[in-house]
Amino acid sequence: MGMHGGFGGSGRGAAARLARRTGTGGPSEDRHPVRRSTVLRVGRLFRPYRRQVLVVLLILVVVALLGVVNPYMLKLIIDDAFLHRSIRLLLIFVGIMVITPVISTALGVWQTYLNAVVGQRVMQDLRIALYSHLQRLPLRFFTATRTGEIQSRLANDVGGVDNVITNTATSIVSNLTRAAATIAGMLVLSWQLTLLSLALLPLFILVTVRVGEIRRRVSSDTQATLADLSALAEETLSVSGILLTKVFGRETFARQRYARETGRLTALMIRQQMVGRWFFGFISTFFSIIPAIVYLVAGAMLFGAHQGGHAGFNTSGANSIGTIVAFTTLQSGLFFPLGQLLNIQVEIQGAFALFDRIFEYIDLPLEIVDRPGALAIPRGEIRGAVSFESVRFHYERDVGAAAVEDVSFRAEPGQLVALVGPSGAGKTTLTYLLARLYDVDQGRVCIDGHDLRDLTLATVQEAMAIVTQEVFLFHSTIRENLLVGRPEATPEEVEAAGRAAAIHDRIMELPQGYDTVAGERGYRLSGGEKQRIALARAILKDPRILVLDEATSALDTHSERQVQTALDRLMEGRTTLAIAHRLSTVMAADQILMMERGRIVERGTHAQLLAQGGAYARLYLEQFAGQPVAAAAG
Ligand code: ADP
């Protein structure tokens, strides 16, 4: 139970972070520490695909080695084929130069395919793991987290992981192997020239890192300004914002503020583009200058060797011309992978930030789970006695007043308990506690004398059906919406439930009968029809205990009567805990609980409470009197 506060907190913290993030663009902008535990955990995700990963690594190494082949062929062509005017050698070397890229390309395609397979599969695994975990999280999580955020993690974050796997990871390995193979090739050709080129490397690294830092700073400033700007627009262009602006004549002020922020953004954007431009300018200049220096030094050594023959590097005549050409070719291919590696750090941070966000959700405690050895009662053996014993409940631990305080009552099997009282009195909360959507802080809620926490969740779910005010239909056929109640029901049982809920005839009038698609974007059913479908769903489930939040919205007399018929059938013989909005329900109740501020303030039957002349009597005059009593007190 100690998790309560932390739970809500983590949900909100995550929400706040997301809000910042959606404002601040890509996750790569965040300075995010890469934790060892995250790395290991990400590694485990790849375990089922280790064979593919191994092949990818092999391909990357082979491709890197192949990258050294053509520069070396250059040397052979110049030093051997040209020098000896050998057509045969020329054909062989040129042939190799043609075949190498063909093989490289083919291997590259294969690697891309394997990458895609691994990336997509890992993503699929993560998505399913995340979804099934989310599903099992308590209601508390969903009330404390914005829907948009949950969807974003499921869609964007998991989606971003694909990019990480297919691009970032391979980029690291391929650049590393390419750089290593290139340096090895350079060393083989001439260790002196290699040292010379690498001597300039620190300068290159220094500039790259420095520019990277500036870029990161500018871009995070840019993203922050963008976020401010959209927050400003959202605020001032909302209905209330506009109203305030207009009524107080603050248009000019608002416009100036907006213009100021936009001006900042413009300056930052220009800066961002220029930092990038400088960087690429630097790199390309560097690439061009280095070979020039190498030619200079190599040339000097070559001449020196010719004239004085002193030791420089292995220069047996024209042999070294090929070496120098091959060397500079190799070398020009060295700095690109190095630059990439230096920049990739940002991407790695972003990637692990993504994984952390996903893991954060996967690690949220489930809170409401079967305790070890929880009791499972077969469906048929539940009698349906309900009791609350000194129940106390806070939505947020130690924050504010309890939503439910010192609530005790009993409902014998088949009885109807009606909850009435002003809004915010805790009626809905009581129904949630009975369904074990939340666990109580103190006291106990029991079915047939068993604490809900001692029963399996499945037992509680089996025993109970909930009909809420807002009827929710999945975007699916009416049949499937009914089958939610009992998936294994036969078509006859579905229709029987439809009849019992007085909705069968109406369904048969629809274009495809029970196979008509209902739900948000489906066939538009009226409020009364939706209510009856919800009741039919509960009838089909045939639970021992019914939790009912009666609709407040007024229906026309005809629909009202049909809903009433359906309700009567549904409540028949079941223990019902109803948030009552209908006069007929309170009049039929075995017990009415009048609630105020989380407590039961009066209890009794309609007649008793009316005679008592207290809070219920007043409520009755306000809320129920004047309602048709139609088939009431049946
Ligand atoms: P009723 O159904 O009688 O209108 P509720 O049971 O919905 O009352 O609410 C009881 C109290 O609990 C109210 O003060 C309400 O503000 C609070 N409450 C309801 N839901 C939540 C929630 N998810 N988080 C925090 N407080 C809540």
Side-chain angles (χ1 to χ4, degrees), residues 27-100:
S28 57
E29 313 305 339
D30 261 27
R31 278 270 179 199
H32 186 93
V34 176
R35 284 196 299 269
R36 212 178 111 80
S37 56
T38 311
V39 177
L40 290 176
R41 207 160 159 190
V42 170
R44 274 202 295 280
L45 292 174
F46 287 86
R47 196 175 285 162
Y49 311 106
R50 51 182 178 269
R51 280 216 349 255
Q52 285 96 326
V53 172
L54 201 70
V55 176
V56 168
L57 292 181
L58 264 172
I59 294 176
L60 288 175
V61 171
V62 172
V63 168
L65 291 177
L66 286 178
V68 184
V69 170
N70 275 9
Y72 195 71
M73 286 304 124
L74 274 183
K75 171 188 156 53
L76 294 182
I77 286 174
I78 294 171
D79 288 352
D80 295 348
F82 285 3
L83 199 70
H84 303 118
R85 298 181 178 273
S86 160
I87 283 290
R88 200 179 65 86
L89 283 179
L90 187 64
L91 280 179
I92 292 174
F93 297 148
V94 168
I96 293 176
M97 279 188 88
V98 170
I99 291 170
T100 311

Side-chain angles (χ1 to χ4, degrees), residues 17-26 220 222-228 230:
R17 243 170 293 130
L18 179 92
R20 245 179 293 130
R21 169 119 47 211
T22 23
T24 55
S220 86
T222 309
Q223 298 299 352
T225 311
L226 265 176
D228 287 349
S230 59

Side-chain angles (χ1 to χ4, degrees), residues 143-144 395-396 402-404 421-430 432 438 579:
T143 56
Y395 276 99
E396 280 174 75
V404 164
S423 102
K427 306 181 295 291
T428 312
T429 309
L430 278 194
Y432 285 169
Y438 297 90
I579 299 176

Side-chain angles (χ1 to χ4, degrees), residues 377-387 410-415 446-450 455 459 462-464 542-546 572-576:
I377 306 179
R379 193 185 157 83
E381 292 173 23
I382 296 168
R383 291 181 304 119
V386 165
S387 60
R410 288 186 58 81
E412 300 307 330
Q415 280 194 337
C446 300
I447 294 180
D448 292 351
H450 300 287
L455 296 170
T459 301
E462 279 278 296
M464 208 170 300
D542 191 21
R544 292 308 313 141
I545 300 167
L546 178 67
E572 211 171 77
R574 299 179 216 282
T575 317
T576 305

Side-chain angles (χ1 to χ4, degrees), residues 292-543:
I293 294 175
V294 168
Y295 275 114
L296 178 71
V297 174
M301 289 163 90
L302 196 65
F303 302 156
H306 267 289
Q307 284 155 13
H310 66 75
F313 62 120
N314 175 27
T315 55
S316 47
N319 209 3
S320 52
I321 296 178
T323 305
I324 294 167
V325 172
F327 187 88
T328 48
T329 312
L330 266 181
Q331 183 200 42
S332 61
L334 172 65
F335 295 100
F336 185 71
L338 284 181
Q340 294 250 305
L341 280 176
L342 287 173
N343 266 325
I344 228 158
Q345 177 216 357
V346 184
E347 268 176 59
I348 295 175
Q349 282 178 348
F352 280 99
L354 271 185
F355 277 113
D356 273 338
R357 279 159 57 76
I358 296 169
F359 291 152
E360 189 186 353
Y361 264 22
I362 290 186
D363 292 342
L364 286 177
L366 291 176
E367 219 174 297
I368 295 182
V369 288
D370 285 351
R371 74 162 176 72
L375 183 66
I377 306 179
R379 193 185 157 83
E381 292 173 23
I382 296 168
R383 291 181 304 119
V386 165
S387 60
F388 276 60
E389 299 167 15
S390 311
V391 168
R392 177 197 174 112
F393 174 75
H394 273 87
Y395 276 99
E396 280 174 75
R397 211 176 172 74
D398 307 326
V399 180
V404 164
E405 182 83 71
D406 192 27
V407 164
S408 300
F409 70 89
R410 288 186 58 81
E412 300 307 330
Q415 280 194 337
L416 166 60
V417 173
L419 299 171
V420 297
S423 102
K427 306 181 295 291
T428 312
T429 309
L430 278 194
T431 63
Y432 285 169
L433 292 175
L434 178 56
R436 207 186 164 199
L437 293 170
Y438 297 90
D439 276 336
V440 299
D441 295 344
Q442 265 176 39
R444 22 185 243 151
V445 178
C446 300
I447 294 180
D448 292 351
H450 300 287
D451 191 320
L452 289 185
R453 288 165 295 190
D454 293 333
L455 296 170
T456 62
L457 284 172
T459 301
V460 177
Q461 285 164 353
E462 279 278 296
M464 208 170 300
I466 302 190
V467 178
T468 50
Q469 243 188 64
E470 275 296 314
V471 174
F472 184 75
L473 297 180
F474 286 111
H475 182 79
S476 179
T477 63
I478 292 180
R479 182 186 310 283
E480 280 172 50
N481 268 295
L482 290 176
L483 284 174
V484 170
R486 187 149 54 91
E488 70 281 5
T490 64
E492 292 73 38
E493 289 172 319
V494 170
E495 284 186 21
R499 282 209 180 81
I503 186 70
H504 176 76
D505 295 338
R506 177 70 187 104
I507 292 175
M508 293 315 282
E509 286 168 24
L510 297 178
Q512 276 102 35
Y514 279 88
D515 295 315
T516 309
V517 173
E520 227 170 293
R521 280 158 292 116
Y523 192 90
R524 289 264 159 217
L525 293 159
S526 77
E529 286 161 358
K530 271 163 63 173
Q531 279 175 26
R532 278 177 284 151
I533 287 185
L535 296 175
R537 179 151 70 189
I539 290 174
L540 190 62
K541 181 165 184 187
D542 191 21

